[in-house]
């Protein structure tokens, strides 16, 4: 049975979109766990152990996997457009610029935070992961932001 390229493209888009939306929950949990772990280590004046580094590595891997899926979506999404009207349409502007730039900044902060925990600093890890978490929460197209047209998964 032959499936047209248009249908194939749509199916790939939907699969990537649902994967990206579902993986965000794992990513959020991992970032929150790392923030709490770093806060406990920073406040308790504890040393960074192997388990702390592994926990941070899992968050880093989830974050970078999200970026790869997100960049794939950026290339094929109908919500990403480069035209004169993009900045005038809040949904197109959000997905073309705001979401992308904010998430890339958050990924950079998580990467630096992981480097900080590898060098033994709970304090730096806490602040980098905390700021990344705030940016991520602000950049997610939550369902209650109805104009963005995104769902929970």
């Amino acid at each position: 049975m032959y499936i047209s390229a248009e249908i194939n493209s749509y199916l790939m888009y939907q699969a990537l979109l649902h994967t990206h939306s579902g993986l965000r929950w794992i990513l959020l949990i991992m970032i929150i766990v790392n923030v709490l772990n770093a806060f406990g280590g920073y406040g308790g004046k504890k040393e960074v152990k192997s388990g702390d580094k592994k926990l941070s590595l899992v968050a880093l891997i989830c974050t970078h996997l999200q970026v790869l899926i997100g960049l794939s979506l950026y290339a094929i999404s109908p919500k990403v457009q480069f035209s004169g009207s993009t900045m005038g349409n809040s949904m197109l502007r959000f997905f073309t610029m705001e979401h992308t730039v904010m998430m890339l900044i958050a990924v950079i902060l998580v990467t630096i935070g992981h480097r900080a925990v590898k060098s033994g600093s709970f304090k730096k890890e806490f602040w980098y992961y905390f700021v990344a978490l705030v940016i991520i929460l602000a950049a997610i197209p939550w369902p209650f932001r109805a104009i963005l047209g995104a769902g929970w998964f």
Side-chain angles (χ1 to χ4, degrees):
M1 184 171 132
Y2 175 73
I3 299 176
S4 74
E6 188 175 301
I7 293 172
N8 223 3
S9 176
Y10 175 76
L11 293 174
M12 182 175 69
Y13 170 71
Q14 288 298 315
L16 286 170
L17 183 62
H18 288 295
T19 302
H20 191 62
S21 295
L23 187 58
R24 83 170 140 193
W25 297 108
I26 296 169
L27 174 63
L28 283 172
I29 290 167
M30 291 310 305
I31 298 280
I32 290 168
V33 166
N34 272 278
V35 166
L36 295 174
N37 183 56
F39 184 73
Y42 168 46
K45 308 277 188 228
K46 298 178 184 173
E47 287 186 29
V48 175
K49 296 190 171 132
S50 173
D52 302 316
K53 293 176 184 178
K54 288 177 184 173
L55 191 63
S56 178
L57 179 62
V58 172
L60 179 78
I61 291 168
C62 287
T63 306
H64 285 222
L65 184 58
Q66 273 291 78
V67 167
L68 292 175
I69 296 168
L71 290 175
S72 299
L73 279 169
Y74 192 78
I76 65 172
S77 176
K79 295 179 181 178
V80 174
Q81 296 179 9
F82 300 98
S83 68
S85 63
T86 299
M87 297 310 272
N89 180 317
S90 59
M91 188 209 41
L92 294 177
R93 182 183 63 240
F94 178 80
F95 287 104
T96 304
M97 292 299 300
E98 296 168 7
H99 178 74
T100 307
V101 170
M102 290 172 74
M103 289 302 188
L104 288 174
I105 291 168
V107 169
I108 291 167
L109 292 173
V110 167
T111 304
I112 295 170
H114 175 68
R115 183 70 185 138
V117 78
K118 281 177 62 178
S119 65
S121 176
F122 273 127
K123 180 180 179 180
K124 288 180 182 177
E125 180 198 16
F126 171 76
W127 285 111
Y128 282 116
Y129 274 67
F130 180 75
V131 173
L133 177 63
V134 170
I135 292 171
I136 290 169
L137 290 172
I140 290 176
W142 298 105
F144 51 81
R145 296 173 74 180
I147 196 161
L148 300 177
W152 288 106
F153 291 96

